[in-house]
Amino acid sequence: MSRKEDVLVWFGHSSYFMQIDGKRMLVDPVFSGSVSPVPGTNKSFKGTDIYTVEDLPEIDYLFITHDHYDHLDYETIIKLKTKTKKVICGLGVGSHLEYWGYNPQDIIEKDWHDSISLDSGFTVYTTPARHFSSRSLQSSKTLWMSYVVQTPTMKIFIGGDSGYDTHYAAIGEKFGPIDLAILDNGQFDSTWRYIHHLPEEVLKAAKDLKTKRLFPVHNSKFDIANHSWDTPLIQITELNKEAHIPLITPMIGEEVLLKDDQQQFKQWWVGRK
């Protein structure tokens, strides 16, 4: 893939690769086939593990939104060590990577409401999320994040995991309009609404962010909640008939052309079991 292409490739759930204005970024990669510390549990759906770390090019910036197992995958992170130039994460998350052998000088840890100047025209703004963190028996010892990534030509919101709250309106007011918002839509439950969006709240958050396009993720690869695998995509596309926000809904591995706002996507989940 030429660095001149501006593309996004989704790997299922909340893992995706972005190449924008010559820089290569990777977000919350999980290629081990599981999101549980217990072997043989919480395995990925058949047919969704079609990519490996070996398929990836060198990564300029690896973004980690928080340290849950479905966003920070030990097996994947270990394999990425020789391919990754810089890691961007919230306070405390870098300790995991340091323990796993990453050079501390290659890890950029930040609090909310901060900024990181990466290169000419590239700035990352660290923004809040309404979630929590946990790994093993420790809970909320590290910080969960969202990010606004400003490139020379685009502004992208990396949402991580979050429940709906007033932080979206604040982010939209400060940084909007956003060219593309990537928000979690899946693994939801009415009792979890303070840490994960319900589909209608994904659309509310997108409007608050003043986004031009919306990519709903956190679905289609792992069975973590008590809903069918296709429910998140069915519900948000139905609800969006009133909201009219351009949706990005690629299949795993399908190239999203980041600067083509006319690109169309099939409802590929219809009729699949």
Side-chain angles (χ1 to χ4, degrees), residues 26-248:
L26 185 64
V27 179
D28 291 353
V30 177
F31 294 111
S32 68
S34 173
V35 289
S36 170
V38 181
T41 61
N42 278 21
K43 296 175 70 176
S44 55
F45 297 136
K46 183 178 179 181
T48 60
D49 280 313
I50 58 177
Y51 291 96
T52 67
V53 170
E54 288 70 29
D55 295 317
L56 297 173
E58 185 178 60
I59 302 300
D60 296 304
Y61 307 117
L62 170 61
F63 288 84
I64 304 296
T65 62
H66 61 293
D67 68 5
H68 283 153
Y69 290 94
D70 59 327
H71 293 259
L72 180 63
D73 179 49
Y74 169 78
E75 183 178 311
T76 303
I77 295 298
I78 288 295
K79 291 180 178 180
L80 278 168
K81 197 185 309 181
T82 58
K83 282 192 169 187
T84 302
K85 293 181 180 178
K86 294 290 182 182
V87 181
I88 299 169
C89 59
L91 294 175
V93 176
S95 64
H96 299 304
L97 281 80
E98 287 185 42
Y99 185 71
W100 299 338
Y102 276 68
N103 187 336
Q105 294 182 342
D106 296 332
I107 301 171
I108 304 171
E109 279 188 324
K110 292 290 182 179
D111 199 350
W112 294 347
H113 309 298
D114 210 334
S115 64
I116 309 164
S117 295
L118 297 176
D119 203 338
S120 178
F122 285 85
T123 303
V124 174
Y125 300 95
T126 58
T127 47
R130 182 169 183 167
H131 199 55
F132 70 108
S133 63
S134 65
R135 200 150 184 103
S136 186
L137 299 177
Q138 294 187 330
S139 181
S140 297
K141 298 291 186 180
T142 63
L143 189 61
W144 47 100
M145 306 284 282
S146 63
Y147 303 96
V148 175
V149 180
Q150 174 72 70
T151 81
T153 62
M154 294 193 73
K155 195 177 293 181
I156 295 180
F157 180 73
I158 297 173
D161 282 1
S162 182
Y164 179 78
D165 210 334
T166 57
H167 62 286
Y168 288 118
I171 294 168
E173 186 64 28
K174 184 173 182 178
F175 298 106
I178 300 292
D179 292 299
L180 171 62
I182 306 169
L183 296 169
D184 76 288
N185 173 58
Q187 319 316 316
F188 59 79
D189 188 283
S190 59
T191 60
W192 301 348
R193 66 181 306 165
Y194 297 110
I195 56 171
H196 284 296
H197 303 122
L198 299 175
E200 59 269 26
E201 293 171 329
V202 178
L203 295 170
K204 287 173 64 177
K207 287 184 176 180
D208 288 351
L209 290 166
K210 304 176 184 177
T211 191
K212 298 173 184 177
R213 289 193 289 172
L214 168 63
F215 182 14
V217 297
H218 210 243
N219 57 64
S220 304
K221 190 166 185 176
F222 299 106
D223 185 10
I224 300 174
N226 292 319
H227 58 65
S228 299
W229 74 269
D230 55 354
T231 295
L233 293 169
I234 290 171
Q235 290 195 8
I236 200 164
T237 51
E238 182 64 29
L239 291 164
N240 195 48
K241 290 178 180 178
E242 293 187 6
H244 303 294
I245 299 172
L247 289 182
I248 290 177

